[in-house]
Amino acid sequence: MSSASSTASHFMPFPATKIAEGVDSLYAFLLIASFISCVLVIGGLIWFAIQYRRKHEGQKTAYISHNTALEFLWSFIPFVIFMVVFVWGWIIFHQLRSMPKDGLEIAVTAQKWSWTFTYKNGRKAQGTVTVPVGQDVKLLMTSADVLHSFYVPAFRNKQDVIPGRYTALWFRAEHEGEYNLFCAEYCGDQHSGMLGKVKVVSREKFDEYLGTEPYKGMTPVQIGQKVYGGACIACHGVKPGDPQNQGPSFYKVFGRVETLADGSTVTVDENYIRESILNPNAKVVKGFNPIMPTYAGQLDEAEIMGLIEYMKSLQ
Ligand code: CUA
């Protein structure tokens, strides 16, 4: 088993599905066929230019009107190659788009700028989706705001996520590991921060994961830190010197007196943080734009309380 995930490489990331291997084979074929064609065409060009150059003043070019056999071959051979590429690509595309009938189904909600995953038993996860190795997984996806795109390079698979309708994507990961998830549709200025992970684990580990409480044995601060990592991190810093991306830093935010856009002030306490999560644009801090989406319905009370306690801990 190869180690998956985030190391940079010169070629495409490790293929974690059979289809990804198929895509790579087709890609390799295209690359090699293009290389051979390039050598033949450019090499032929150079060879002909030298071989048939004008050798003395007054030399006349031979009169050749056509050559049926040659013209047939240089049309038919590329035609066959292009048809191979077409059929091969069509087969892979068909595999990508044929949804499994009895796969594990997970609901995905995209929102500026985070991913929320909901399992059939109500288990929710932010940012990282955990799936079992060697099983068909179908993602049923929608967006709470604008167009996003679910893209896992290791699966060579990508699907737009659209507000107001469902789209689907499936995969069967053959290797355990953690694979990067990107948003591949420009969705606002923290688009590049809309990152996640697909964590592929053994069947046993997955059953255990699905069966446990999401935050079993975790303190509120740890819960808040986890939620932060899956959702708030795209816009809010937590350390001195973190860039103030799109929202105020959480560092020493609790107890701070903030000046709002309308000039009034507010002391950051539990209720202000709660309001800012559920109704973010009610009281926007001066100097920031009212761009944060609501997390009402996305986060439960334990998670909101966790975030509040996490912010308190950042002193
Ligand atoms: Cu979401 Cu780009």
Side-chain angles (χ1 to χ4, degrees), residues 111 113 115 147-149 183-188 191-192 194:
Q111 177 171 17
W113 287 278
W115 302 95
L147 286 176
H148 302 275
S149 184
C183 177
E185 180 73 55
Y186 183 71
C187 54
H191 156 71
S192 62
M194 191 167 165

Side-chain angles (χ1 to χ4, degrees), residues 220-225 228 238 250 305-314:
V221 173
Q222 289 168 330
I223 294 172
Q225 190 168 15
Y228 169 82
V238 286
F250 289 171
M305 181 54 83
L307 278 175
I308 292 169
E309 292 303 317
Y310 178 54
M311 285 185 215
K312 282 185 189 170
S313 75
L314 299 169

Side-chain angles (χ1 to χ4, degrees), residues 140-160:
L140 194 61
M141 309 191 286
T142 192
S143 167
D145 41 44
V146 298
L147 286 176
H148 302 275
S149 184
F150 187 97
Y151 176 39
V152 181
F155 301 162
R156 317 282 189 268
N157 204 349
K158 174 157 59 174
Q159 172 62 52
D160 274 10

Side-chain angles (χ1 to χ4, degrees), residues 204-223:
E204 300 75 53
K205 280 214 183 107
F206 176 73
D207 289 340
E208 189 187 316
Y209 168 83
L210 204 59
T212 52
E213 297 284 317
Y215 302 116
K216 197 169 182 224
M218 289 170 79
T219 66
V221 173
Q222 289 168 330
I223 294 172

